Amino acid sequence: MTDAAEELEPPPRPTTNAWEGALDAAIDNARAYVAGLPGRPVSAQATVDELRRALALPLTDEGVDPAKVVHDLAAGAEPGLVATGSPRYFGFVIGGALPAALAADWLTAAWDQNAGLYVGGPSAAVVEEVAGRWVLDLLGLPPSASFGFVTGGQMANFTALAAARHAVLARQGWDVEARGLSGAPPVRVITSDLRHATVDRALRYLGLGTDATVVIPAGPDARLPVGGLADALADRSAGPIPTIVCAQAGEVNGGSVDPLAEVCEIAHAAGAWVHVDGAFGLWAAASPTLRSTLAGVEQADSWATDFHKWLNVPYDSGFVACADPEAHRGAIGVRAAYLVRADDDHGTARDQLDWTPEFSRRARGFAVYAALRSLGRRGVADLVDGCCARARQFADRLGQMDRADVLNDVVLDQVLVRFRAAPGSGSADAAADDDVTRRVVEAVQASGECWMSGTTWRGRAAMRISVVNWQTTEADVDRSVAAVERALASV
Ligand SMILES: Cc1ncc(COP(=O)(O)O)c(C=O)c1O
């Protein structure tokens, strides 16, 4: 063998001990972390400079022992972790991780299947097939709907709107996948001013552009007004217009749900496609007590939701479903000579890349399957009901506080609250209340007791509280309300 060939020798494989060292380091640190979640400060405890000092190590020529790498990574990252899995984390809409889901997620990494094709991991394909059907059933969606396991709500909205674009243009005789959008009939998207930002982003990705939207101001109840929608749909002055209506179940600030039955009825009568963005709110359909809030949801044409929010599956995990599998597959599926397709022989197995925009991807269905099996139907309903009860507890307690006003009708898990300047402080206008509200949010975040984020609601500053963690108890809410009280007294 020449010297050059010797230099190309592959590095030695990790020995059993090397696997064990690294995996032991991971499991020890992970166990300590999840066990400590209820007690640790919720906010990150290190500055960006401290984190850079701890983590910006030199990249050595020779590499470092795997167990030491994992240990050092855990030690360096630990102070900069936000305890988003804490039962007192109420920021954005961020769930924790159920034990079965977290454990299955570890296995997912160990198995490292490429979940694009059936042949790349038959178990991954079958688990997604099973879990996807469970989800359709739990959420009351048509059992014949197609579905895909995507990274989150953003890609679920993108995939669903790609299917919608395909279908509404096909009805005009236009094959958008082949011909693109140049010269295509313009597509109109009707939605409310409270749609999530990822809807607009999906429209950008799809080349429809945000100017394609006809935006209807939401009513005082923060829902898409049916009358306004009917008026917008009635505008057919330029002939039949390919139209997509984007409704939502669970507005990201206050959790409102659009009147889905009416929206579907009048949109379908006008030949439009109805998409429902239900990133978290769709889970209310899994609760017998809340299901009526989403009445009519099954009549829509496509749905987007997340597992990493209310189902408490680790990131990144979302779900898209489509009532018209041909539109879904027509917009998203892919073929190539070298792809060994499960359905080439008219087989029944499922190639996941027909339903998700990714090609190679993580087998994220394992964790969803584990989460659903561990909870069961009643467990999912209890999770949703429990979070909504905690949200109402927040609203009741905060609503009783001097200088605090709850701004929304708490229909699901979201609470919006605004604080007022102290009487006699000399500043008693809306701008002063905005300032107080923002300072309360900052003080609560800095306290480490709990974490809520801020927002602007109808032009005014507000605190958002989102309860989607499986571990949050009434005592956690009491403790968090006390932290808010202290913060308000301090500003
Ligand atoms: C209503 C709604 N749609 C879409 C999204 C985006 O979801 P993701 O962050 O999973 O992409 C969110 C996120 O909070 C949301 O609340």
Side-chain angles (χ1 to χ4, degrees), residues 10 85 123 366 384 463:
S123 299
F366 289 128
V384 170
M463 172 189 272

Side-chain angles (χ1 to χ4, degrees), residues 92-93 151-157 195-199 248-253 277-281 305-306 308-309 315 317-318 464:
F92 307 101
V93 186
T151 51
Q154 171 71 77
M155 291 318 283
N157 279 332
R195 71 198 173 282
H196 195 264
T198 52
V199 169
Q248 70 183 337
E251 191 276 330
V252 72
N253 290 294
D277 175 4
F280 61 96
T305 194
D306 271 317
H308 58 214
K309 291 187 168 71
Y315 283 98
S317 194
R464 292 174 70 254

Side-chain angles (χ1 to χ4, degrees), residues 175-193:
D175 178 349
V176 69
E177 282 74 37
R179 300 173 75 182
L181 285 170
S182 298
V187 175
R188 174 177 67 159
V189 179
I190 306 180
T191 183
S192 97
D193 60 345

